[in-house]
Amino acid sequence: MLAQIWPRVALVAAILLVWWAVAASDLAPDWALPSPGDVWEQLTANLFGEGGLLVAAQRSLLRLAIGMAAAVVIGTLLGIAMAASGPVQRSVGTLMTGLQALPSIAWLPLAAVWLGFGERAVLFVVVIGAFPAIAIATAASLRQAPPTLVRAGRTLGARGWTLYRRVVLPAAVPGYWAGLQQAWAIAWRALMAGELIIAGGVGLGHLLGRASFDTSLILAVMVVIVVIGVAVDYLFASVDRRIRRRRGLIATA
């Protein structure tokens, strides 16, 4: 456990040390680069309350959960259809690849025109940013189920839906979970961009938009965004390790 933790702690300490040294010197004015202490004061002062960082983080995470739930349903169904049908793969699969290459923020102007400058526009950007990655991962993981497992299942008498449920779907779980991890990161960035540009709500992106030129508050909000991102990614990685270990994809000493 210590071997896993100390490199991360050392990196954070080094960043804080360099940050403090630059802020304490004359290389940058205080308004452009406040010290870590100033950012910490802003973070603790704005942590609680109706418009505080905790409430904003809760609202952002709620939007993320709703958007990801919709993206998972849409992306999974499309991915299954792509894996089951060659024509669907060649048509819808190409569309999914194109949508994944399109930055989510590019949808914001259309979202504002179609849905207005509000909650629905932000959720739309989150969903449309995340579901192509889930669809592509679902189709790829289902198509790449090991042939030896499929043959073994057929040898044991599994056919049709039984083969799919007992062999193909379990074999596709690691790739599917990796797609969810990628989709969550895309959705998180899309959410922050949507909240930042579409004002009038409560969220971490909205706080960034209202911070104006208060650099210490901007950095405090960014720290919270990074911490949440690292925490959620760690949870995804932990589950991924368990999945791979149970399937013998990670060596156990």
Side-chain angles (χ1 to χ4, degrees):
M1 179 65 70
L2 182 61
Q4 296 290 330
I5 295 176
W6 80 259
R8 298 176 173 88
V9 174
L11 177 61
V12 172
I15 292 173
L16 289 174
L17 181 62
V18 172
W19 180 4
W20 174 83
V22 174
S25 68
D26 296 329
L27 295 176
D30 292 341
W31 60 266
L33 184 64
S35 68
D38 294 335
V39 175
W40 177 255
E41 289 180 5
Q42 278 282 13
L43 195 153
T44 54
N46 292 277
L47 195 59
F48 303 102
E50 183 59 32
L53 289 165
L54 282 180
V55 173
Q58 291 172 1
R59 299 287 179 84
S60 292
L61 288 172
L62 179 60
R63 293 188 187 99
L64 180 71
I66 295 172
M68 275 296 295
V72 167
V73 172
I74 297 170
T76 302
L77 292 177
L78 285 175
I80 292 173
M82 289 159 56
S85 171
V88 174
Q89 171 64 38
R90 288 188 289 273
S91 56
V92 177
T94 302
L95 177 61
M96 293 300 102
T97 302
L99 289 177
Q100 190 178 32
L102 183 65
S104 302
I105 196 171
W107 287 97
L108 277 171
L110 275 178
V113 171
W114 291 343
L115 303 171
F117 288 89
E119 195 83 13
R120 293 185 300 170
V122 176
L123 290 175
F124 173 81
V125 172
V126 172
V127 173
I128 204 164
F131 84 82
I134 298 174
I136 292 172
T138 302
S141 56
L142 289 175
R143 285 180 175 272
Q144 293 170 6
T148 52
L149 290 179
V150 176
R151 287 196 296 268
R154 286 173 176 161
T155 300
L156 294 173
R159 295 289 187 275
W161 170 243
T162 301
L163 177 67
Y164 213 74
R165 179 170 60 89
R166 294 291 182 88
V167 178
V168 177
L169 289 179
V173 169
Y176 179 74
W177 189 256
L180 291 182
Q181 187 172 6
Q182 181 185 11
W184 116 259
I186 296 172
W188 185 237
R189 292 194 295 268
L191 176 63
M192 291 301 103
E195 289 182 345
L196 178 62
I197 294 175
I198 299 178
V202 177
L204 293 172
H206 295 120
L207 275 182
L208 277 179
R210 290 195 295 268
S212 186
F213 294 102
D214 189 345
T215 313
S216 57
L217 180 57
I218 292 172
L219 288 172
V221 177
M222 290 174 64
V223 167
V224 174
I225 293 172
V226 170
V227 169
I228 292 175
V230 171
V232 176
D233 192 72
Y234 177 79
L235 292 175
F236 268 101
S238 298
V239 175
D240 180 70
R241 285 194 298 271
R242 291 183 181 181
I243 291 172
R244 293 181 181 277
R245 188 176 293 114
R246 290 182 61 182
R247 282 159 176 75
L249 300 175
I250 296 179
T252 56

